[in-house]
């Protein structure tokens, strides 16, 4: 397992399923840009079946507005969707929100009274599934917005099992996903403790964002916050040293990247890399994990952006949320709105090319979707 300043990753097997089953849905977790217009932070249910493909078939509004919906993830038993509110503490909302998706077309928000919120940490980012149907989630800061953050663990019944590490004496700079950090941390999952802290500043790492296991090899990729994707092999004893595997900016001297979200295929031989500043998703052949090769690019219009990218369980269908963050609550610190769309795609049988068979139905525009409630900001996507 690896934690950068952004992420928690557990290598696990993902089972294949029928991508064309009639109960296939895309969930989008989004909130209103201007909450004064009456919009609520909401879960959007999009059908992927037949003639309904690309249609919003349900919207589950929460009582909240302004928690800044962030990442989300479907539990391994496919009964729960875990979602984060990035800026919840600024509006007295919950950092962690769960939805019951046992009826996937008609999700229900789990009563907030049943969900214990973290005591020492907040500013939720990524959710990762655990084998028992629960989740790990990274909290990017303390409950007051300072340091350190934590990794929190929930069981399948929404019980908060702990906030880790439990002993933070002397722990500095631990804000999972903080944009100015330079360290990556390996964890011992048996006791949820940090086993190694790797200072990657000499490699240019500045705000690492997202990490993924490479099959079950014990190696990982992580985004360095500088346009590079790094390879880290956790085998053997410390120290472990990451190496640059891929430059998503193709040698540009301007290393402003707005981070990248990555997805490694089950086989370990393919990798998706989103590039916000290049408005694209890159498809890589990672048969040689230290020397990936570019297979294809899914290019979006100038200014569209590209952030969270997810695939279906059989890895034949995917979706990209182009919105990153555009927040007045942060005094304009982050202005990366993209074009506020979710863009859907398929991959060919060899997973070597992007395919968009029906472009007109493959873009969901959250700038206009909610009418008088104004623009919505789609960040989290998950596919069931």
């Amino acid at each position: 397992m690896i934690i950068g300043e952004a992420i928690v990753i557990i290598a696990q097997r993902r089972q294949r399923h029928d991508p064309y089953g009639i109960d296939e849905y895309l969930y989008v977790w989004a909130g209103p840009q201007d909450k004064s217009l009456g919009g609520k932070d909401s879960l959007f249910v999009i059908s992927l079946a037949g003639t309904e493909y690309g249609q919003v078939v349900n919207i589950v509004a929460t009582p909240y507005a302004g928690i800044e919906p962030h990442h989300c993830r479907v539990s391994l038993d496919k009964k729960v969707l875990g979602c984060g509110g990035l800026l919840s503490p600024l509006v007295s909302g919950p950092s962690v929100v769960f939805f019951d998706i046992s009826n996937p077309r008609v999700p229900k928000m789990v009563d907030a009274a049943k969900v214990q919120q973290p005591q020492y940490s907040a500013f939720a980012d990524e959710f990762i599934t655990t084998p028992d149907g629960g989740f790990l989630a990274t909290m990017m800061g303390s409950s007051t917005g300072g340091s350190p953050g934590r990794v929190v663990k929930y069981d399948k019944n929404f019980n908060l099992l702990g906030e880790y590490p439990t002993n933070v004496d002397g722990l500095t700079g631990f804000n999972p996903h903080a944009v100015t950090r330079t360290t990556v941390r390996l964890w011992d999952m048996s006791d949820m403790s940090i086993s190694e802290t790797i200072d990657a500043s000499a490699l240019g790492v500045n705000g690492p964002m997202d990490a993924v296991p490479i099959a079950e090899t014990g190696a990982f990729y992580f985004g360095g916050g500088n346009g590079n994707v790094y390879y880290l092999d956790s085998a053997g004893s410390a120290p472990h040293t990451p190496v640059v595997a891929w430059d998503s900016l193709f040698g540009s001297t301007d290393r402003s990247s707005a981070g990248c979200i990555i997805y490694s295929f089950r086989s370990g031989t393919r990798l998706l890399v989103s590039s916000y500043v290049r408005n694209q998703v890159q498809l890589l052949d990672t048969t040689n994990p230290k020397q990936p090769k570019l297979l294809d690019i899914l290019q979006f219009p100038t200014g569209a952006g590209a952030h969270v990218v997810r695939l279906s369980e059989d890895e034949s269908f995917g979706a990209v949320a182009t919105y990153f963050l555009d927040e007045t609550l942060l005094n304009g610190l982050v202005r990366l709105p993209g074009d506020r769309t979710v863009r859907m795609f398929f991959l060919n049988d060899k997973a070597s090319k992007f395919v968009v068979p029906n472009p007109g139905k493959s873009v969901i525009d959250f700038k206009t979707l909610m009418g008088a409630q104004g623009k919505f900001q789609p960040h989290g996507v998950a596919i069931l």
Side-chain angles (χ1 to χ4, degrees):
M1 179 226 193
I2 178 175
I3 292 185
E5 293 300 346
I7 29 65
V8 171
I9 292 296
I10 299 177
Q12 60 191 24
R13 293 186 182 274
R14 289 164 283 188
Q15 302 300 316
R16 296 180 66 85
H17 77 310
D18 178 5
Y20 304 108
I22 61 172
D23 291 329
E24 181 109 342
Y25 295 97
L26 168 66
Y27 297 115
V28 180
W29 177 224
Q33 180 191 33
D34 184 351
K35 61 184 180 181
S36 72
L37 297 177
K40 298 294 186 181
D41 300 320
S42 301
L43 181 66
F44 293 78
V45 183
I46 298 156
S47 176
L48 305 177
T51 58
E52 282 191 337
Y53 178 81
Q55 293 181 21
V56 177
V57 295
N58 198 0
I59 301 173
V60 184
T62 72
Y64 317 114
I67 67 173
E68 185 64 34
H70 212 54
H71 292 262
C72 59
R73 186 84 63 170
V74 174
S75 64
L76 280 185
D77 59 12
K78 300 178 176 60
K79 294 181 179 179
V80 176
L81 183 73
C83 300
L86 174 64
L87 301 182
S88 296
L90 304 184
V91 294
S92 300
S95 290
V96 177
V97 178
F98 293 115
F99 292 89
D100 178 348
I101 57 171
S102 54
N103 181 345
R105 192 180 182 96
V106 189
K108 295 180 180 179
M109 179 182 158
V110 175
D111 185 348
K114 297 181 179 179
V115 181
Q116 181 184 356
Q117 295 297 316
Q119 179 179 358
Y120 304 110
S121 57
F123 304 90
D125 183 46
E126 185 63 279
F127 282 70
I128 297 297
T129 58
T130 58
D132 65 350
F135 296 92
L136 295 175
T138 51
M139 301 286 120
M140 291 195 282
S142 70
S143 58
T144 59
S147 179
R150 301 289 201 285
V151 175
V152 300
K153 187 175 184 179
Y154 283 89
D155 68 15
K156 65 180 181 179
N157 297 315
F158 320 118
N159 296 309
L160 179 63
L161 302 181
E163 300 179 58
Y164 307 98
T166 53
N167 183 359
V168 296
D169 292 343
L171 183 63
T172 60
F174 184 64
N175 295 75
H177 206 337
V179 295
T180 59
R181 302 304 180 187
T182 61
T183 57
V184 175
R185 289 175 166 89
L186 293 172
W187 284 60
D188 183 341
M189 295 302 296
S190 65
D191 61 1
M192 290 297 295
S193 63
I194 298 170
S195 60
E196 183 180 357
T197 297
I198 302 167
D199 183 354
S201 58
L203 296 172
V205 171
N206 185 24
M209 182 183 295
D210 212 10
V212 292
I214 304 173
E216 297 180 5
T217 64
F220 302 85
Y221 289 120
F222 68 89
N226 58 357
N228 288 332
V229 175
Y230 292 81
Y231 171 89
L232 176 62
D233 189 348
S234 66
S237 58
H240 297 93
T241 303
V243 296
V244 175
W246 179 253
D247 180 4
S248 70
L249 302 180
F250 302 107
S252 172
T253 56
D254 182 357
R255 306 308 297 180
S256 303
S257 73
C260 61
I261 299 296
I262 52 183
Y263 179 99
S264 182
F265 285 54
R266 252 188 331 274
S267 65
T269 62
R270 295 288 188 273
L271 186 74
L272 293 178
V273 179
S274 72
S275 175
Y276 182 92
V277 297
R278 287 187 171 264
N279 314 292
Q280 63 186 210
V281 178
Q282 301 161 9
L283 173 61
L284 309 182
D285 179 343
T286 53
T287 304
N288 181 343
K290 293 183 181 180
Q291 295 181 328
K293 295 180 180 179
L294 181 66
L295 292 174
D296 200 10
I297 290 177
L298 183 61
Q299 186 65 54
F300 305 139
T302 300
H307 191 56
V308 173
V309 58
R310 296 286 185 258
L311 290 185
S312 59
E313 220 172 353
D314 76 337
E315 300 177 330
S316 67
F317 168 84
V320 186
T322 62
Y323 170 80
F324 185 176
L325 188 62
D326 184 16
E327 265 304 332
T328 56
L329 288 174
L330 296 177
N331 297 318
L333 180 64
V334 181
R335 305 302 303 270
L336 299 168
D339 68 356
R340 295 183 173 90
T341 62
V342 170
R343 296 171 179 268
M344 300 179 292
F345 61 89
F346 291 85
L347 293 166
N348 67 358
D349 290 343
K350 295 182 179 180
S352 60
K353 293 287 184 182
F354 291 108
V355 180
V356 184
N358 194 335
K361 290 187 175 182
S362 296
V363 180
I364 303 168
D365 191 347
F366 281 78
K367 296 188 297 298
T368 59
L369 182 64
M370 296 301 285
Q373 292 183 5
K375 299 175 183 177
F376 269 59
Q377 309 191 135
H379 192 113
V381 294
I383 302 165
L384 182 63

Short mmCIF file of all heavy atoms in Angstrom, two decimals, residues 336-355:
data_model
loop_
_atom_site.label_atom_id
_atom_site.label_comp_id
_atom_site.label_asym_id
_atom_site.label_seq_id
_atom_site.Cartn_x
_atom_site.Cartn_y
_atom_site.Cartn_z
N LEU A 336 -9.79 26.26 -11.38
CA LEU A 336 -9.60 25.25 -12.41
C LEU A 336 -10.96 24.60 -12.72
O LEU A 336 -11.19 23.44 -12.42
CB LEU A 336 -8.58 24.20 -11.95
CG LEU A 336 -7.16 24.71 -11.64
CD1 LEU A 336 -6.35 23.64 -10.94
CD2 LEU A 336 -6.46 25.16 -12.91
N PRO A 337 -11.86 25.37 -13.35
CA PRO A 337 -13.22 24.86 -13.53
C PRO A 337 -13.39 23.91 -14.70
O PRO A 337 -14.38 23.17 -14.76
CB PRO A 337 -14.02 26.14 -13.79
CG PRO A 337 -13.04 27.05 -14.47
CD PRO A 337 -11.72 26.76 -13.80
N GLY A 338 -12.44 23.88 -15.65
CA GLY A 338 -12.65 23.11 -16.86
C GLY A 338 -13.93 23.58 -17.54
O GLY A 338 -14.38 24.72 -17.35
N ASP A 339 -14.56 22.71 -18.32
CA ASP A 339 -15.83 23.11 -18.95
C ASP A 339 -17.04 22.47 -18.26
O ASP A 339 -18.14 22.50 -18.79
CB ASP A 339 -15.83 22.81 -20.44
CG ASP A 339 -15.84 21.32 -20.77
OD1 ASP A 339 -15.77 20.50 -19.83
OD2 ASP A 339 -15.91 20.97 -21.96
N ARG A 340 -16.80 21.92 -17.07
CA ARG A 340 -17.88 21.37 -16.22
C ARG A 340 -18.72 20.35 -16.98
O ARG A 340 -19.95 20.38 -16.96
CB ARG A 340 -18.75 22.50 -15.67
CG ARG A 340 -18.02 23.45 -14.72
CD ARG A 340 -18.96 24.50 -14.15
NE ARG A 340 -18.33 25.30 -13.12
CZ ARG A 340 -17.66 26.43 -13.36
NH1 ARG A 340 -17.52 26.87 -14.60
NH2 ARG A 340 -17.12 27.11 -12.36
N THR A 341 -18.07 19.42 -17.63
CA THR A 341 -18.76 18.34 -18.32
C THR A 341 -18.27 17.00 -17.80
O THR A 341 -17.20 16.89 -17.17
CB THR A 341 -18.53 18.38 -19.84
OG1 THR A 341 -17.12 18.21 -20.10
CG2 THR A 341 -19.00 19.69 -20.44
N VAL A 342 -19.06 15.96 -18.07
CA VAL A 342 -18.61 14.58 -17.93
C VAL A 342 -18.64 13.99 -19.32
O VAL A 342 -19.66 14.07 -20.03
CB VAL A 342 -19.50 13.78 -16.97
CG1 VAL A 342 -19.16 12.29 -17.03
CG2 VAL A 342 -19.34 14.30 -15.54
N ARG A 343 -17.52 13.39 -19.73
CA ARG A 343 -17.36 12.88 -21.09
C ARG A 343 -17.13 11.37 -21.05
O ARG A 343 -16.27 10.89 -20.33
CB ARG A 343 -16.20 13.59 -21.79
CG ARG A 343 -16.47 15.10 -21.96
CD ARG A 343 -15.26 15.88 -22.44
NE ARG A 343 -15.60 17.29 -22.60
CZ ARG A 343 -16.03 17.84 -23.74
NH1 ARG A 343 -16.14 17.08 -24.83
NH2 ARG A 343 -16.32 19.12 -23.80
N MET A 344 -17.93 10.64 -21.82
CA MET A 344 -17.91 9.18 -21.80
C MET A 344 -17.22 8.63 -23.04
O MET A 344 -17.24 9.25 -24.10
CB MET A 344 -19.33 8.65 -21.69
CG MET A 344 -20.04 9.13 -20.43
SD MET A 344 -21.75 8.53 -20.28
CE MET A 344 -22.55 9.41 -21.62
N PHE A 345 -16.63 7.45 -22.90
CA PHE A 345 -15.89 6.83 -24.00
C PHE A 345 -15.86 5.32 -23.83
O PHE A 345 -16.16 4.79 -22.76
CB PHE A 345 -14.45 7.38 -24.07
CG PHE A 345 -13.63 7.09 -22.84
CD1 PHE A 345 -12.89 5.91 -22.72
CD2 PHE A 345 -13.59 8.00 -21.79
CE1 PHE A 345 -12.14 5.64 -21.59
CE2 PHE A 345 -12.84 7.74 -20.64
CZ PHE A 345 -12.11 6.56 -20.54
N PHE A 346 -15.47 4.64 -24.90
CA PHE A 346 -15.21 3.20 -24.86
C PHE A 346 -13.77 2.97 -25.29
O PHE A 346 -13.09 3.86 -25.81
CB PHE A 346 -16.15 2.46 -25.82
CG PHE A 346 -17.59 2.44 -25.38
CD1 PHE A 346 -18.44 3.50 -25.69
CD2 PHE A 346 -18.09 1.37 -24.65
CE1 PHE A 346 -19.76 3.49 -25.29
CE2 PHE A 346 -19.42 1.36 -24.24
CZ PHE A 346 -20.25 2.42 -24.56
N LEU A 347 -13.31 1.75 -25.06
CA LEU A 347 -12.01 1.30 -25.55
C LEU A 347 -12.23 0.13 -26.50
O LEU A 347 -13.16 -0.66 -26.31
CB LEU A 347 -11.10 0.88 -24.41
CG LEU A 347 -10.65 2.01 -23.47
CD1 LEU A 347 -10.06 1.44 -22.20
CD2 LEU A 347 -9.65 2.93 -24.16
N ASN A 348 -11.38 0.01 -27.52
CA ASN A 348 -11.52 -1.12 -28.44
C ASN A 348 -11.11 -2.43 -27.75
O ASN A 348 -10.66 -2.43 -26.60
CB ASN A 348 -10.72 -0.89 -29.73
CG ASN A 348 -9.21 -0.89 -29.50
OD1 ASN A 348 -8.73 -1.03 -28.38
ND2 ASN A 348 -8.45 -0.73 -30.58
N ASP A 349 -11.26 -3.55 -28.46
CA ASP A 349 -11.05 -4.86 -27.84
C ASP A 349 -9.63 -5.05 -27.31
O ASP A 349 -9.42 -5.79 -26.34
CB ASP A 349 -11.38 -5.98 -28.83
CG ASP A 349 -12.86 -6.07 -29.12
OD1 ASP A 349 -13.65 -5.52 -28.33
OD2 ASP A 349 -13.23 -6.69 -30.14
N LYS A 350 -8.67 -4.39 -27.93
CA LYS A 350 -7.27 -4.53 -27.51
C LYS A 350 -6.86 -3.46 -26.51
O LYS A 350 -5.69 -3.42 -26.11
CB LYS A 350 -6.35 -4.49 -28.73
CG LYS A 350 -6.55 -5.65 -29.70
CD LYS A 350 -5.58 -5.55 -30.86
CE LYS A 350 -5.76 -6.73 -31.83
NZ LYS A 350 -4.82 -6.66 -32.97
N ALA A 351 -7.80 -2.62 -26.13
CA ALA A 351 -7.51 -1.50 -25.23
C ALA A 351 -6.32 -0.69 -25.74
O ALA A 351 -5.44 -0.30 -24.99
CB ALA A 351 -7.23 -2.00 -23.81
N SER A 352 -6.37 -0.43 -27.06
CA SER A 352 -5.30 0.35 -27.68
C SER A 352 -5.80 1.64 -28.30
O SER A 352 -4.99 2.48 -28.70
CB SER A 352 -4.60 -0.48 -28.76
OG SER A 352 -5.53 -0.86 -29.78
N LYS A 353 -7.14 1.82 -28.35
CA LYS A 353 -7.72 3.01 -28.96
C LYS A 353 -8.96 3.44 -28.18
O LYS A 353 -9.73 2.61 -27.70
CB LYS A 353 -8.13 2.74 -30.41
CG LYS A 353 -6.98 2.50 -31.36
CD LYS A 353 -6.21 3.78 -31.67
CE LYS A 353 -5.11 3.55 -32.70
NZ LYS A 353 -4.34 4.80 -32.95
N PHE A 354 -9.14 4.76 -28.09
CA PHE A 354 -10.39 5.30 -27.57
C PHE A 354 -11.44 5.26 -28.68
O PHE A 354 -11.13 5.48 -29.86
CB PHE A 354 -10.21 6.76 -27.13
CG PHE A 354 -9.35 6.93 -25.91
CD1 PHE A 354 -8.07 7.46 -26.01
CD2 PHE A 354 -9.83 6.58 -24.65
CE1 PHE A 354 -7.28 7.63 -24.88
CE2 PHE A 354 -9.05 6.76 -23.52
CZ PHE A 354 -7.77 7.27 -23.64
N VAL A 355 -12.68 4.99 -28.29
CA VAL A 355 -13.79 4.96 -29.23
C VAL A 355 -14.95 5.75 -28.63
O VAL A 355 -15.35 5.50 -27.49
CB VAL A 355 -14.25 3.51 -29.51
CG1 VAL A 355 -15.41 3.51 -30.51
CG2 VAL A 355 -13.09 2.67 -30.03
#
